[in-house]
Amino acid sequence: MSEPISLQSRYLELIDEIVQATLKGKIRSKEQVYQMLLQGVSSGTGEIFERCLEEQLSTTQQQVDNPVSEIKQAKAMRVLRALKTISGEWERVQQQNQVSKSLAAAIKAITSANSTDRLTALVRVIDPNRQEVLNLQQLTQLAKTLQQQASASDSESAKEIQQLSAGITAGLASWQRLEDHLVSWIYDQNRGPLGFDGIPEQRGPWALWAKQVNSPLPQSLFQALARNQPLNEWADSQRNLEVGTWVELAVVLQCLQRGLVAWFDKMVYDSKVGAKLSISTFIAFAVIWSQLASVLSYALSSEQRDAIVNGCFQVSLQILRAFAQRDYFPLYGGVFASLAGNYLRDALNYLDEPLRRVEGTQEKARILTLLGYSLQAQGQYDRATSFHQQAVEIAREAGDRACEVANLNHLSRIYVARKIYAEAINYSQRALILSRQSGDRLGEANALANFGYSEVFQAQDTQQVEPEVYENAIYYLEQGLQLSERLSDGQSQALCFSSLGIAYVVIQQPEKAIAYLEKGWQAAQFSGDLYLQGLNLTYLAEASYSLQNWETTIYTGTLGAYLLEQIGSNDWRKAAGLLTILQGQMGVEAFQSLLSQQRPKIIPIIGVDGYDYIPQLLQKYRDSM
């Protein structure tokens, strides 16, 4: 059914009125055009106005392109500029209408929800993965509208809505106090890595943020994180936590996390460092929320416990989903690539639960990839295999070929670790074929490295001594390294250097092994992958031991054992075992003397506490034998 002619005529007149006013110099700003469109175009009739505007633009463009005279062409060009101004302001009107609709839908979702679902409805409204993400101004408007609706009623439902409104308002107020201090802690600290481990008053943002915010719940949480206090102890003082107070915390933490990621993403002078810090931020905040869900599920005695715990899990999941959509999402790295702090070891357990709550999506496949790699590093091969196999299926369904290839590559490495070499070769071959079919050069580099790596171990396992067997395997490893170098991908370079070095250790060529392993350690340090750092150091110790270079054996072996043990990887035992053998051969005093000589080189990497822990670590190994 065609629209009424009168409406078409009215909009053509409106457009002409604005154009004529512009030509006569009566339009002094774009805001005037915006207001005229707001008043002149009726709700629900935007498509009619757009067609009228498109007709005028097309007709005028033709007059400009095919002029009758220079005078008429000049006038047509002025008209065209006026029409383009109208078009630009109409887009602004449409955006504002969309915001209004989004806010109206958000308010309806919250106010019409059941009491038990109302907090969940709010968490969905503030989800950063929504197509229309609410900015701070819109959140303020949301809080005001909810407050107005709640004030008009004395019902129990109105009191709950008022709590949500008050929580949003308080959260935004706390954020205003913190905004100027979002990244100042980076400049204030004089030493130590950036991260969220938070030695009190020295590193991390928590202590500074605790001083700036004056609201009790965020302040106490920041203080607990700054002191590395177990959150279950902190939660004991929050037994009567109210929904509104929780909403305040959710708003504050979301603003902090999104603000940090935005700032790190803009580090154009060193985008790789910025990406590492963004990765650390995403994971750290996701883990914090999952920890909160875990501790509050036991601590809370309020009626809203289930809603608050579920809200924590939902926020954690939202962060992970947003992370999975970033182009720097580490398909070939893990939690240990950037995450530091007291929650490092428990990160996987905490992130496991929110992950169960999401259906099979591309984001879930990528998150499973991240966690699977980290489980592999910890030696939890069965769980890691399950995660990666799930990720392969989900990624295939979603058409995410890069993710599918990455998980095939990870499965290949796991089967090498499990000494099932035929399966390792099978997965690396599948990854190589699929990566080449899909043009995934990064996946191809990793597949080549994994294929050669698997071949070396299978040849050793079957006691093949023909040099051409190892030459072919090392050829694939070198191809992978060359490709990763051309791609300038530090994580893949670290893997390829490491794989080549380990291959040469296996075939008992320690000099060549050391050259590659040293480069592998450097590349892993740059990429921030603690597992690969520890692995390279462990094999460096083994290669140095075979050359009877005791100083380097002790230096690299102690570092490798410490780093791997700190992230919960059972591979620390390999380095500790080698050091224990060496200590037995040399005697305790001679071993300790050489260890003391390496102290100036060890401390810059793992600190004084790390150095002092080494004797305890070796004793821990002996006790477990």
Side-chain angles (χ1 to χ4, degrees):
M1 188 175 184
S2 62
E3 60 272 6
I5 296 296
S6 59
L7 195 55
Q8 261 189 321
S9 300
R10 181 154 66 87
Y11 287 157
L12 287 170
E13 288 176 4
L14 174 62
I15 293 168
D16 185 60
E17 179 187 349
I18 297 173
V19 168
Q20 294 305 317
T22 301
L23 296 180
K24 293 175 181 178
K26 294 181 179 179
I27 300 293
R28 300 182 180 277
S29 69
K30 290 182 179 180
E31 182 64 25
Q32 282 181 264
V33 177
Y34 175 72
Q35 293 298 331
M36 291 175 75
L37 293 174
L38 275 181
Q39 296 170 16
V41 181
S42 303
S43 177
T45 64
E47 289 185 10
I48 302 172
F49 175 81
E50 285 177 9
R51 283 200 291 272
C52 293
L53 182 57
E54 285 171 9
E55 288 174 11
Q56 294 295 87
L57 281 165
S58 177
T59 300
T60 308
Q61 186 66 59
Q62 289 177 9
Q63 292 172 357
V64 171
D65 295 340
N66 304 290
V68 176
S69 67
E70 289 185 6
I71 294 175
K72 289 187 176 180
Q73 185 186 39
K75 182 178 180 181
M77 290 175 68
R78 292 173 62 201
V79 171
L80 185 62
R81 284 196 295 270
L83 290 170
K84 287 182 177 179
T85 299
I86 295 172
S87 179
E89 292 309 296
W90 174 246
E91 285 184 17
R92 184 181 161 200
V93 170
Q94 291 291 75
Q95 289 171 359
Q96 182 58 43
N97 288 340
Q98 187 60 44
V99 168
S100 299
K101 288 179 183 177
S102 182
L103 276 172
I107 291 163
K108 183 178 179 181
I110 294 167
T111 55
S112 63
N114 294 328
S115 177
T116 54
D117 299 328
R118 190 162 283 124
L119 182 58
T120 301
L122 174 62
V123 172
R124 287 175 182 157
V125 164
I126 63 174
D127 186 351
N129 300 294
R130 284 165 52 98
Q131 189 171 0
E132 297 291 337
V133 182
L134 299 182
N135 59 32
L136 298 182
Q137 184 179 359
Q138 291 156 5
L139 274 176
T140 301
Q141 184 59 46
L142 174 67
K144 286 180 179 177
T145 306
L146 289 174
Q147 176 63 33
Q148 289 168 359
Q149 293 200 8
S151 300
S153 171
D154 294 326
S155 66
E156 192 63 34
S157 175
K159 292 178 182 177
E160 292 172 0
I161 293 171
Q162 193 167 21
Q163 276 195 0
L164 300 183
S165 170
I168 297 171
T169 302
L172 292 173
S174 293
W175 165 242
Q176 284 185 330
R177 295 180 65 88
L178 290 168
E179 190 171 9
D180 290 340
H181 305 277
L182 177 66
V183 295
S184 60
W185 54 278
I186 295 174
Y187 302 104
D188 292 341
Q189 61 187 32
N190 296 320
R191 63 186 184 276
L194 296 181
F196 298 94
D197 41 346
I199 292 176
E201 308 302 331
Q202 291 183 16
R203 291 184 301 189
W206 308 116
L208 173 64
W209 291 347
K211 291 176 182 177
Q212 300 304 321
V213 73
N214 60 2
S215 191
L217 184 65
Q219 186 178 64
S220 66
L221 177 61
F222 295 162
Q223 288 170 343
L225 291 170
R227 295 191 299 266
N228 283 332
Q229 177 188 357
L231 287 188
N232 60 319
E233 295 179 8
W234 169 84
D236 285 339
S237 61
Q238 310 297 329
R239 293 189 177 278
N240 296 313
L241 177 64
E242 294 183 351
V243 168
T245 310
W246 182 91
V247 170
E248 176 190 358
L249 182 65
V251 171
V252 172
L253 287 181
Q254 187 185 77
C255 288
L256 287 168
Q257 178 253 315
R258 289 169 64 180
L260 282 173
V261 169
W263 194 83
F264 292 143
D265 284 352
K266 291 177 182 177
M267 291 176 67
V268 292
Y269 60 89
D270 198 339
S271 58
K272 290 184 178 179
V273 172
K276 282 172 61 178
L277 292 171
S278 291
I279 290 169
S280 179
T281 303
F282 273 119
I283 295 175
F285 277 81
V287 170
I288 288 169
W289 275 112
S290 293
Q291 283 185 307
L292 289 175
S294 179
V295 298
L296 291 175
S297 64
Y298 296 101
L300 290 185
S301 57
S302 66
E303 296 179 0
Q304 294 288 344
R305 181 186 64 185
D306 291 344
I308 288 174
V309 170
N310 183 62
C312 291
F313 278 131
Q314 289 301 317
V315 174
S316 178
L317 184 56
Q318 288 172 2
I319 293 170
L320 289 174
R321 280 183 146 167
F323 180 32
Q325 296 169 34
R326 297 299 174 119
D327 56 6
Y328 48 69
F329 185 85
L331 286 172
Y332 291 95
V335 167
F336 308 122
S338 300
L339 184 62
N342 225 20
Y343 22 79
L344 179 62
R345 289 171 178 266
D346 299 324
L348 302 176
N349 294 328
Y350 286 120
L351 295 180
D352 224 0
E353 177 57 31
L355 197 57
R356 292 196 191 105
R357 301 177 178 230
V358 63
E359 301 299 326
T361 62
Q362 179 181 358
E363 290 89 351
K364 181 169 184 176
R366 289 185 166 238
I367 298 165
L368 284 167
T369 308
L370 178 86
L371 301 185
Y373 175 87
S374 302
L375 285 164
Q376 175 193 343
Q378 287 190 328
Q380 298 185 46
Y381 298 130
D382 289 341
R383 283 185 75 200
T385 299
S386 174
F387 273 38
H388 287 306
Q389 286 175 340
Q390 287 181 64
V392 167
E393 297 300 321
I394 296 170
R396 185 179 297 135
E397 288 286 328
D400 189 347
R401 292 291 171 263
C403 184
E404 185 180 352
V405 168
N407 282 279
L408 293 172
N409 275 318
H410 288 309
L411 284 164
S412 176
R413 299 296 282 201
I414 290 173
Y415 279 106
V416 169
R418 296 172 69 176
K419 300 182 180 180
I420 309 175
Y421 303 120
E423 279 295 289
I425 291 170
N426 173 45
Y427 277 112
S428 64
Q429 286 176 326
R430 287 171 60 187
L432 186 57
I433 292 168
L434 186 57
S435 63
R436 285 176 170 171
Q437 287 176 344
S438 59
D440 177 9
R441 303 287 280 170
L442 183 60
E444 182 183 353
N446 282 268
L448 285 165
N450 288 330
F451 184 46
Y453 189 72
S454 306
E455 290 274 4
V456 167
F457 277 91
Q458 185 182 56
Q460 184 202 33
D461 187 56
T462 55
Q463 297 183 340
Q464 296 184 49
V465 294
E466 296 83 358
E468 59 269 16
V469 174
Y470 293 100
E471 287 171 5
N472 287 336
I474 287 173
Y475 170 73
Y476 284 111
L477 283 164
E478 289 173 340
Q479 275 191 309
L481 176 60
Q482 290 167 11
L483 182 52
S484 67
E485 287 177 329
R486 287 200 297 272
L487 296 170
S488 299
D489 184 75
Q491 181 74 19
S492 296
Q493 286 178 49
L495 176 71
C496 292
F497 278 128
S498 171
S499 301
L500 271 164
I502 293 169
Y504 279 116
V505 170
V506 168
I507 63 177
Q508 298 179 3
Q509 295 187 31
E511 293 91 349
K512 287 185 177 180
I514 287 171
Y516 283 113
L517 290 167
E518 285 178 343
K519 291 179 180 177
W521 180 27
Q522 291 172 2
Q525 283 179 302
F526 183 80
S527 70
D529 192 314
L530 294 177
Y531 177 65
L532 277 182
Q533 287 183 50
L535 202 63
N536 275 281
L537 287 161
T538 297
Y539 278 96
L540 269 170
E542 188 172 334
S544 300
Y545 178 82
S546 66
L547 294 173
Q548 298 186 3
N549 185 340
W550 308 141
E551 292 88 348
T552 305
T553 301
I554 291 173
Y555 170 60
T556 55
T558 52
L559 287 176
Y562 178 83
L563 291 177
L564 291 170
E565 195 265 349
Q566 286 296 295
I567 64 172
S569 172
N570 286 328
D571 287 341
W572 74 271
R573 297 179 57 79
K574 184 178 180 69
L578 180 65
L579 293 171
T580 301
I581 291 170
L582 180 58
Q583 188 179 52
Q585 293 171 344
M586 297 178 62
V588 175
E589 288 186 12
F591 181 89
Q592 187 60 43
S593 175
L594 281 183
L595 177 60
S596 299
Q597 291 175 27
Q598 301 305 310
R599 187 177 186 273
K601 294 168 62 179
I602 292 173
I603 286 177
I605 299 173
I606 61 175
V608 175
D609 290 342
Y611 175 82
D612 292 341
Y613 180 62
I614 290 168
Q616 299 174 45
L617 189 58
L618 296 180
Q619 185 61 48
K620 177 180 176 182
Y621 173 79
R622 288 191 291 270
D623 291 343
S624 65
M625 290 176 62

